Amino acid sequence: REHQQGEREREKQAPRRAGSPMWGSIPGLWDHALSQRQTLNDLTIDEKFHTILTGVFVCFFSCTQLLWNYKLNLTTDPKFESVAREVCKSTISEIKECADEPVGKGYLVSCLVDHRGNITEYQCHQYITKMTAIIFSDYRLICGFMDDCKNDINILKCGSIRLGEKDAHSQGEVVSCLEKGLVKEAEERDPKIQVSELCKKAILRVAELSSDDFHLDRHLYFACRDDRERFCENTQAGEGRVYKCLFNHKFEESMSEKCREALTTRQKLIAQDYKVSYSLAKSCKSDLKKYRCNVENLPRSREARLSYLLMCLESAVHRGRQVSSECQGEMLDYRRMLMEDFSLSPEIILSCRGEIEHHCSGLHRKGRTLHCLMKVVRGEKGNLGMNCQQALQTLIQETDPGADYRIDRALNEACESVIQTACKHIRSGDPMILSCLMEHLYTEKMVEDCEHRLLELQYFISRDWKLDPVLYRKCQGDASRLCHTHGWNETSELMPPGAVFSCLYRHAYRTEEQGRRLSRECRAEVQRILHQRAMDVKLDPALQDKCLIDLGKWCSEKTETGQELECLQDHLDDLAVECRDIVGNLTELESEVMIRTIFFLPFKKR
């Protein structure tokens, strides 16, 4: 049944040609002296035959060992390599890396498998597709993998590498074990066992090569067969479509635990190297090159990380540069993925493990763990270590939910009813949705769950001015001119992100004689932010920091909406100097907003 399903999917992907041989006699299975003319046709038979034999005779050691030796010969036999040179002549001449491979070592076929996405010759594509199915059925057939990972397989106790000891269906378990070892190492400060650099590259390379067709990830394929039929029955295999479909259903109640675990491991590999996602690497290839997000002088481990790719391309978008819609769509999917599952971010695991166990255990799905940690940071459940706070702030910048609220699934679900009523005039996904929600924070249209999720997210957005995309767009010129800021994804010790907004509002109330004022559109945005922050002092980092003692001294009983700021204004003369200056500036700007509302807006309506 599995064999027939796989065949149907492969037939959907590849165009059929009249006269293509499907079944016939099976000459020379045990005799490798095949003519070059027979080889390409018989390969189709061999592929089917090795699948059937493996299923029927898996318990017979001699048969499986003989079959494995036969498949190994397929990848190294000079006759098969000579067929590749004949049917892929034009392709090899176009791919210098393959043309330079030595003869008779099996490297040519492996090289063509690596570059199969670029093959346009029909016969060559058919030949390499079938060779790929054979090679990926057993990790020992993948060129160089055995040499690079032999010691790691033994150290990590991932299974025997002696011939015939494991059946073909269990070979994927060896690669899966190595992948889990690689993932675990990234999540520990002092890992007891480290995967060698050669094997790390080999693991990620194999994951990349299997990124277009989920059949090639043997462990995931067998773990998710039933789930694929349940959730993605109509999804055509190829170009990573089945992976993406399964990712989208990962937190469904009916998703099997073994499939969910396999999907999470693959997502963690994507977090380490974006090329493990076929659709992301393909859709963003030109944009990555255009904006130099994969420059050669950076360490491979850094430039390959999903977080680095997202930050680099988000920077281009925020600067008003053109990034293709296909790439932006992929970015949105993976930003949402990181926001939904905290375990995909090694920094969160490393820095927040204790806090998660203490405050947020059992809340793993749909972004609930991250919002639980955000709630702790706001002081509603306890304290959070500085390393954990910094890891959360970094993750918020990587995912950039301020640019599109739909990235934050917990917020999206909690606020859906409010958005449909209070913000229905704003286009879905527009960054002004968050501003609209803030304007309705304590109105009758707001619901309690939405209020909590909104304030939890805004706490972090308020501590980095770049995370409010409207503010950044209107004020980036002023920030560069007056506050000496750098690019969107760059930081400065002299002007950290949290200090930029303070710098902007210091210039917001300067007179013309004092000079160096904000532009009109930036000033309006600063006033908008201040108006929203007045609803909750925790949304104003400077105010909360400088007025913490005064809040406890004068306003400990003022807990309703806006009461804390009103209390500080009432006790202005009694406040400490630094707190008094901040409250005075806020009061002055608040007055300007009120005057503009009373006197100017009615004239505009007329």
Side-chain angles (χ1 to χ4, degrees), residues 505 543 547 550 564-572 575-590:
Y505 85 65
L543 182 67
C547 298
D550 289 298
E564 289 176 308
L565 182 57
E566 290 179 5
C567 172
L568 291 173
Q569 290 170 332
D570 291 341
H571 291 83
L572 189 63
L575 303 178
V577 176
E578 289 182 328
C579 179
R580 184 167 63 240
D581 289 343
I582 291 175
V583 174
N585 292 339
L586 289 174
T587 304
E588 184 176 342
L589 283 172
E590 222 178 23

Side-chain angles (χ1 to χ4, degrees), residues 458-600:
Q458 285 289 353
Y459 180 91
F460 285 89
I461 291 177
S462 67
R463 277 149 179 79
D464 187 345
W465 75 291
K466 302 189 299 294
L467 300 183
D468 186 315
V470 181
L471 175 67
Y472 183 79
R473 187 172 69 250
K474 298 291 182 64
C475 293
Q476 58 178 315
D478 296 86
S480 177
R481 176 171 56 90
L482 302 172
C483 309
H484 311 291
T485 58
H486 298 276
W488 188 85
N489 59 338
E490 298 175 6
T491 57
S492 167
E493 294 183 1
L494 298 176
M495 185 60 68
V500 176
F501 187 78
S502 299
C503 171
L504 290 173
Y505 85 65
R506 280 200 306 272
H507 289 85
Y509 57 86
R510 287 193 170 193
T511 63
E512 290 186 10
E513 289 76 16
Q514 290 175 308
R516 298 173 67 80
R517 301 185 71 195
L518 295 183
S519 64
R520 181 176 297 179
E521 61 177 8
C522 179
R523 184 180 174 87
E525 282 305 305
V526 170
Q527 289 171 336
R528 173 182 69 85
I529 299 296
L530 289 172
H531 172 66
Q532 293 175 356
R533 290 185 180 183
M535 300 176 190
D536 189 334
V537 295
K538 291 177 182 176
L539 298 181
D540 191 321
L543 182 67
Q544 187 183 21
D545 182 41
K546 302 299 182 184
C547 298
L548 190 61
I549 295 175
D550 289 298
L551 282 167
K553 185 176 181 180
W554 305 107
C555 312
S556 58
E557 297 180 359
K558 307 294 183 179
T559 57
E560 296 298 322
T561 309
Q563 284 187 346
E564 289 176 308
L565 182 57
E566 290 179 5
C567 172
L568 291 173
Q569 290 170 332
D570 291 341
H571 291 83
L572 189 63
D573 294 335
D574 302 317
L575 303 178
V577 176
E578 289 182 328
C579 179
R580 184 167 63 240
D581 289 343
I582 291 175
V583 174
N585 292 339
L586 289 174
T587 304
E588 184 176 342
L589 283 172
E590 222 178 23
S591 301
E592 281 194 31
V593 172
M594 189 176 296
I595 291 171
R596 284 163 57 90
T597 303
I598 294 173
F599 289 102
F600 292 101

Side-chain angles (χ1 to χ4, degrees), residues 431-444:
M432 286 305 293
I433 290 282
L434 283 184
S435 182
C436 174
L437 290 173
M438 286 298 295
E439 293 296 335
H440 291 85
L441 188 57
Y442 296 110
T443 67
E444 60 183 13

Side-chain angles (χ1 to χ4, degrees), residues 58 64 145 158 212 409 484 491 502 512:
V58 70
T64 51
F145 191 85
C158 288
D212 63 332
R409 184 169 176 176
H484 311 291
T491 57
S502 299
E512 290 186 10

Side-chain angles (χ1 to χ4, degrees), residues 83-339:
V83 172
R85 291 190 181 279
E86 181 181 332
V87 299
C88 299
K89 189 179 298 182
S90 298
T91 300
I92 294 171
S93 64
E94 294 169 1
I95 305 174
K96 186 177 185 301
E97 182 182 342
C98 297
D100 294 340
E101 292 291 3
V103 177
K105 295 185 178 294
Y107 294 162
L108 175 63
V109 175
S110 178
C111 181
L112 289 171
V113 167
D114 286 5
H115 292 86
R116 68 189 185 280
N118 300 322
I119 297 176
T120 56
E121 291 179 275
Y122 176 80
Q123 270 199 314
C124 181
H125 187 274
Q126 290 289 85
Y127 180 76
I128 295 302
T129 297
K130 297 182 187 306
M131 289 299 290
T132 300
I134 292 172
I135 290 171
F136 274 82
S137 69
D138 190 326
Y139 74 93
R140 296 169 297 184
L141 300 175
I142 301 170
C143 183
F145 191 85
M146 270 277 283
D147 295 334
D148 293 340
C149 292
K150 183 176 181 179
N151 292 333
D152 298 274
I153 291 171
N154 290 327
I155 293 171
L156 291 167
K157 296 181 172 60
C158 288
S160 173
I161 55 174
R162 285 176 289 174
L163 301 186
E165 190 154 320
K166 283 181 173 287
D167 63 68
H169 285 359
S170 69
Q171 298 303 336
E173 300 300 323
V174 177
V175 178
S176 174
C177 175
L178 289 170
E179 290 173 346
K180 289 175 182 176
L182 180 59
V183 165
K184 185 179 180 181
E185 180 185 327
E187 296 173 353
E188 294 180 352
R189 292 196 183 279
D190 299 305
K192 296 179 181 178
I193 300 176
Q194 294 185 347
V195 181
S196 68
E197 287 301 318
L198 277 177
C199 189
K200 281 181 184 178
K201 292 178 181 178
I203 293 168
L204 291 171
R205 184 61 177 151
V206 168
E208 178 187 339
L209 290 173
S210 62
S211 63
D212 63 332
D213 185 353
F214 95 116
H215 293 94
L216 301 181
D217 186 330
R218 304 306 291 168
H219 173 73
L220 188 145
Y221 170 65
F222 287 113
C224 296
R225 279 178 300 176
D226 294 338
D227 298 281
R228 190 270 168 91
E229 293 298 317
R230 187 180 302 118
F231 298 112
C232 310
E233 182 181 6
N234 297 321
T235 303
Q236 186 178 356
E239 298 191 351
R241 286 184 289 265
V242 176
Y243 287 124
K244 289 198 69 175
C245 177
L246 290 171
F247 289 160
N248 290 335
H249 292 280
K250 192 177 87 167
F251 287 125
E252 297 285 348
E253 294 296 333
S254 54
M255 172 70 75
S256 69
E257 197 57 42
K258 62 180 181 179
C259 180
R260 184 180 292 121
E261 183 181 331
L263 292 171
T264 299
T265 298
R266 187 157 192 96
Q267 288 176 322
K268 289 180 178 181
L269 293 176
I270 292 172
Q272 290 198 31
D273 190 338
Y274 73 90
K275 289 185 178 179
V276 177
S277 167
Y278 179 90
S279 56
L280 180 65
K282 180 182 178 182
S283 299
C284 296
K285 183 177 180 180
S286 60
D287 294 294
L288 289 169
K289 184 176 180 180
K290 183 177 180 181
Y291 299 113
R292 305 191 70 225
C293 296
N294 50 0
V295 290
E296 295 179 357
N297 59 345
L298 286 176
R300 171 68 185 162
S301 58
R302 176 189 167 189
E303 69 170 37
R305 288 178 63 87
L306 177 64
S307 58
Y308 179 82
L309 172 147
L310 292 175
M311 294 272 277
C312 183
L313 291 178
E314 284 165 19
S315 175
V317 172
H318 285 294
R319 295 197 314 269
R321 305 293 191 270
Q322 188 68 37
V323 174
S324 68
S325 58
E326 294 83 3
C327 181
Q328 289 202 52
E330 288 294 323
M331 290 167 61
L332 182 67
D333 288 342
Y334 283 98
R335 285 153 62 192
R336 186 187 291 118
M337 181 185 82
L338 291 174
M339 198 74 185

